Amino acid sequence: MTEPDFLLFASDAELAAYWGAACVLAALVCLMMERRRMKRAEINRVGWMPWTGLFLTFAVIGGGLLALAVPVILGS
């Protein structure tokens, strides 16, 4: 399987933007799962996944990558 052209010829800033967008998307999924956990029907079935911590981790990493990549992409 070959790498697609848009990834093969992407700059470092573009790759950082792609990874940042993926992390922000994962953070949104974690946010939805945390909201689902908070609105559960059975109050004693809490679950074991730390959705809030995962959300914060993905949001900070994704936001940082996007903050670093956007000025370079907009400048070119």
Side-chain angles (χ1 to χ4, degrees):
M1 187 164 128
T2 61
E3 194 170 348
D5 286 341
F6 73 94
L7 287 178
L8 185 63
F9 298 111
S11 68
D12 289 340
E14 286 178 307
L15 292 176
Y18 291 143
W19 279 108
C23 285
V24 168
L25 182 66
L28 291 175
V29 169
C30 291
L31 182 65
M32 289 184 342
M33 295 305 290
E34 175 65 21
R35 294 181 134 237
R36 181 176 176 250
R37 186 183 73 85
M38 293 299 288
K39 296 178 186 258
R40 63 190 178 275
E42 291 184 44
I43 196 73
N44 291 330
R45 296 193 60 174
V46 178
W48 57 272
M49 187 62 74
W51 293 115
T52 305
L54 287 173
F55 165 74
L56 287 173
T57 302
F58 282 126
V60 168
I61 292 172
L65 285 172
L66 286 175
L68 291 173
V70 166
V72 176
I73 291 174
L74 292 180
S76 60

